[in-house]
């Protein structure tokens, strides 16, 4: 009997072990060994984050996922390399871009448009062949307004030594400091200068860059204004980048002393002309030629001049505009007897036809005309280019960064 009991106990013990083993292998036991998960594909990240590639809620996304066209967009993978990556616009046209040397990052280099949705394509591939799709969309911001700017000096022009650089904006801009921070002027000769904001005119803002002194003759100048996507404030953004490269020409200065009844032309430090002239009638403040540094802006072989106040409507030859208040240097045979002896004009500088043509032929945009000897000073009321009427310290005070 004792032997039977021993066998039974041994059997029960053996069955208990088997049961314990079976229980340990039960799928309900969280400690039990699990089958290995399938290999995961490479991780993919986007800058800025993308919309989901599909499913509910794909029509909206956070503001943080909106791209600024001024900045590149990119996709990056960890644990693999990128293959066949592209970014396309709604028409299916690909945006320019390139892979990094290690093929883990693709970054756009082409222009992006405002208020446009772009779509990612391609995949990230791990060394073992597993892949993760590159997909989803990214949208660019939609400004309340896009503001365009225009540079006053075009590429490859040659201009005078008093020429300011001007960017005229077609709308008012609020954050002038943000704009000024990205503007850059590069010169081949050492030139000190500064940006200054002038009062808005015709609904648009404008900023000028003026050297402290006249430009050195022969200076090569490059202006870079990467304004696309810059936040101008009030929901307005820069519409496009601007740039130009130009050259400062010979140093020509007109010395126009109304008391002398002469107009002298100095070129590269030497006097090259001395013309008899007549200036504005001194006893009528409205007819005074304004004293101060004027800047030549344009010239005409024939210019119609009209004044309802003084009752004339005439066409004058060889007219060189030196301010936007109606002041020109031009030929006027009617005042020929006064030229060199008296000031009788309505504010312009009158020369003979021969002398006016000779001066006209030498003129560049940006040449200074230094008028002296009259009782009324040139000021902001007299047109666009009154930059040189201010001292250097006052000019620097017009900077949004001062």
């Amino acid at each position: 009997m004792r032997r039977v009991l021993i066998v039974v106990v041994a059997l029960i013990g053996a069955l208990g072990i088997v049961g314990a083993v079976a229980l340990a292998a039960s799928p309900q036991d969280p400690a039990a060994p699990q089958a290995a998960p399938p290999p995961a594909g490479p991780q993919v990240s986007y800058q800025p984050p993308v919309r989901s590639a599909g499913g509910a809620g794909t029509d909206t996304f956070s503001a943080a996922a909106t791209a600024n066209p001024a900045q590149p967009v990119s996709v990056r993978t960890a644990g693999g390399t990128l293959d066949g990556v592209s970014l396309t616009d709604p028409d299916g046209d690909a945006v320019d871009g390139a892979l990094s040397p290690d093929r883990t990052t693709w970054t756009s280099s082409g222009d992006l448009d405002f208020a446009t949705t772009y779509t990612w394509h391609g995949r990230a591939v791990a060394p073992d062949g597993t892949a993760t799709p590159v997909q989803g969309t990214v949208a660019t911001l939609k400004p309340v307004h896009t503001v365009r700017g225009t540079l006053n000096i075009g590429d490859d022009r040659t201009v005078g030594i008093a020429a300011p650089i001007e960017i005229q904006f077609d709308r008012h801009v609020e954050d002038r400091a943000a704009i000024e921070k990205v503007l850059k002027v590069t010169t081949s000769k050492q030139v000190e200068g500064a940006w200054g904001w002038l009062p808005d005119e015709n609904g648009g803002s404008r900023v000028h860059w003026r050297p402290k002194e006249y430009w050195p003759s022969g200076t090569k100048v490059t202006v870079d204004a990467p304004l696309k996507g810059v936040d101008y404030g009030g929901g307005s953004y820069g519409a496009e980048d601007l740039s130009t490269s130009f050259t400062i020409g010979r140093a020509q200065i007109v010395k126009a002393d109304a008391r002398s009844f002469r107009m002298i032309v100095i070129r590269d430090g030497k006097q090259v002309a001395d013309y008899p002239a007549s200036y504005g009638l001194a006893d009528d403040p409205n007819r005074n030629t304004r004293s101060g540094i004027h800047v030549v802006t344009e010239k005409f072989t024939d210019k119609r001049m009209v004044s309802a106040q003084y009752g004339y409507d005439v066409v004058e030859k060889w007219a060189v505009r030196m301010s936007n208040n109606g002041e020109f240097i031009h030929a006027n045979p009617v005042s020929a007897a006064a030229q060199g002896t008296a000031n009788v004009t309505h504010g312009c500088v009158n020369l003979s036809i021969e002398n006016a043509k000779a001066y006209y032929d030498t003129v560049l945009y940006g040449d200074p005309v230094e008028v002296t000897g009259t009782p009324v000073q040139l000021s902001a009321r007299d047109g666009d280019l009154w930059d040189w009427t201010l001292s250097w310290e006052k000019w620097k005070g017009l900077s949004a960064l001062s």
Side-chain angles (χ1 to χ4, degrees):
M1 176 64 76
R2 184 175 177 181
R3 289 179 180 174
V4 172
L5 287 172
I6 292 172
V7 171
V8 170
V9 171
L11 259 168
I12 292 171
L15 288 171
I17 292 172
V18 172
V21 173
L23 183 61
S26 169
Q28 282 74 36
D29 184 352
Q34 302 292 316
Q43 297 298 306
V44 177
S45 58
Y46 304 83
Q47 183 59 42
V50 297
R51 295 189 191 192
S52 170
T58 59
D59 292 335
T60 60
F61 54 98
S62 68
T66 304
N68 186 321
Q71 303 297 325
V73 297
S74 63
V75 59
R76 183 175 184 176
T77 183
T81 56
L82 295 172
D83 178 54
V85 170
S86 66
L87 182 68
T88 59
D89 65 16
D91 295 326
D93 295 327
V95 176
D96 288 342
L99 281 170
S100 59
D102 62 1
R103 302 184 63 83
T104 62
T105 305
W106 186 97
T107 305
S108 66
S109 58
D111 289 339
L112 301 179
D113 294 324
F114 288 105
T116 303
T117 298
Y118 294 86
T119 303
W120 286 107
H121 309 272
R123 62 181 187 154
V125 183
D128 64 3
T130 58
T132 300
V134 172
Q135 59 186 345
T137 60
V138 60
T140 53
L141 62 86
K142 182 178 182 180
V144 176
H145 302 290
T146 53
V147 180
R148 295 193 175 278
T150 304
L151 278 162
N152 65 324
I153 304 175
D155 276 326
D156 301 323
R157 286 189 64 184
T158 299
V159 299
I161 59 174
I165 300 165
E166 177 185 77
I167 302 177
Q168 175 70 54
F169 298 95
D170 63 3
R171 298 184 68 92
H172 171 74
V173 296
E174 294 182 12
D175 195 345
R176 295 178 169 185
I179 295 172
E180 196 173 329
K181 285 177 182 177
V182 304
L183 302 179
K184 183 178 181 182
V185 177
T186 305
T187 58
S188 63
K189 299 181 180 182
Q190 185 172 352
V191 179
E192 182 180 358
W195 292 99
W197 291 86
L198 280 62
D200 285 9
E201 293 184 354
N202 302 317
S205 297
R206 59 185 175 132
V207 62
H208 287 195
W209 194 93
R210 197 205 93 181
K212 180 180 180 180
E213 308 291 346
Y214 290 152
W215 292 99
S217 180
T219 303
K220 305 293 184 182
V221 184
T222 299
V223 182
D224 290 304
L227 294 169
K228 184 174 181 178
V230 174
D231 186 348
Y232 291 177
S236 295
Y237 287 80
E240 59 190 350
D241 296 337
L242 302 174
S243 65
T244 188
S245 295
F246 58 91
T247 302
I248 306 301
R250 78 290 175 271
Q252 178 161 297
I253 303 171
V254 167
K255 301 285 187 178
D257 185 354
R259 295 164 297 195
S260 70
F261 314 118
R262 313 291 297 187
M263 192 187 95
I264 295 172
V265 182
I266 308 294
R267 189 177 307 138
D268 296 326
K270 297 180 180 180
Q271 180 175 313
V272 294
D274 181 356
Y275 303 127
S278 181
Y279 295 85
L281 185 66
D283 60 10
D284 183 347
N286 291 325
R287 291 175 62 174
N288 284 173
T289 308
R290 273 45 180 160
S291 286
I293 300 176
H294 300 62
V295 179
V296 168
T297 55
E298 55 186 343
K299 62 182 183 178
F300 307 86
T301 56
D302 298 273
K303 177 63 177 175
R304 184 184 180 191
M305 299 184 180
V306 181
S307 172
Q309 180 180 3
Y310 293 104
Y312 62 79
D313 185 344
V314 296
V315 175
E316 302 289 11
K317 297 288 292 183
W318 314 119
V320 175
R321 185 189 295 278
M322 62 182 192
S323 79
N324 264 8
N325 66 359
E327 290 176 315
F328 286 82
I329 300 170
H330 66 85
N332 189 357
V334 175
S335 68
Q339 291 167 20
T341 59
N343 293 325
V344 301
T345 80
H346 292 86
C348 293
V349 182
N350 284 185
L351 305 176
S352 70
I353 291 178
E354 179 183 5
N355 291 339
K357 173 64 165 60
Y359 171 66
Y360 174 98
D361 288 342
T362 70
V363 168
L364 291 177
Y365 174 89
D367 282 345
V369 178
E370 299 176 355
V371 178
T372 56
T374 73
V376 180
Q377 296 297 308
L378 187 73
S379 71
R381 298 186 300 274
D382 291 301
D384 291 342
L385 302 187
W386 45 274
D387 306 34
W388 295 98
T389 67
L390 300 181
S391 69
W392 180 237
E393 291 305 314
K394 287 184 177 179
W395 178 261
K396 290 192 297 182
L398 299 180
S399 167
L401 303 178
S402 63

